[in-house]
Amino acid sequence: MSLKVAVLACVAVVALCDKAPVHAPPPPVYTPRPAYHAPTPYHAPEPAYHAHYEPEYPAVPPKYNYNYGVADSYSGVNLGHTESRDGYKTEGSYTVDLPDGRRQIVKYVDNGDEHTIET
């Protein structure tokens, strides 16, 4: 008897589910198009300097001395630079440790009209 009830229930379910559900049609898809705007013409910005500007240099010739050095044991960097200038005469040197263990020293002199470099 229970088998008959189960078969009857299955037949009833199949009969009720035989029809596909009815849905409303989907709404139309509307994608608005952007309004056309003509591109604005390019205008170059005004220069931040004046074309007739000439830099003013002091009447006194330059004179200075400076040096610096870096010795970093962690990375192995060891270099330095020294320079002095008095008017048009400039001389100095810089050093750097090369990867193969040698130290390169470069000395230079510039007298304003001629210069020499020694390595």
Side-chain angles (χ1 to χ4, degrees), residues 2 6 8 14 18 20 22-24 27 45 47-49 51-52 71 79-80 95 102 105 112-114 116:
S2 63
L8 184 62
V14 169
D18 187 32
V22 178
H23 295 288
Y49 62 89
H52 64 276
L79 54 93
T95 61
R102 297 178 296 145
I105 302 172
D113 55 353
E114 61 183 54
T116 59

Side-chain angles (χ1 to χ4, degrees), residues 49-76:
Y49 62 89
H50 301 287
H52 64 276
Y53 174 74
E54 287 288 328
E56 295 181 18
Y57 297 107
V60 180
K63 184 175 185 178
Y64 62 84
N65 293 311
Y66 82 90
N67 64 5
Y68 70 87
V70 176
D72 184 15
S73 60
Y74 180 75
S75 65

Side-chain angles (χ1 to χ4, degrees), residues 11-91:
V11 169
V13 168
V14 169
L16 292 175
C17 295
D18 187 32
K19 297 180 181 177
V22 178
H23 295 288
V29 177
Y30 173 72
T31 54
R33 295 185 181 184
Y36 175 76
H37 297 287
T40 57
Y42 174 75
H43 296 288
E46 293 293 324
Y49 62 89
H50 301 287
H52 64 276
Y53 174 74
E54 287 288 328
E56 295 181 18
Y57 297 107
V60 180
K63 184 175 185 178
Y64 62 84
N65 293 311
Y66 82 90
N67 64 5
Y68 70 87
V70 176
D72 184 15
S73 60
Y74 180 75
S75 65
V77 172
N78 190 6
L79 54 93
H81 186 195
T82 302
E83 183 173 293
S84 63
R85 182 171 181 182
D86 189 4
Y88 289 109
K89 183 177 183 179
T90 306
E91 52 188 310

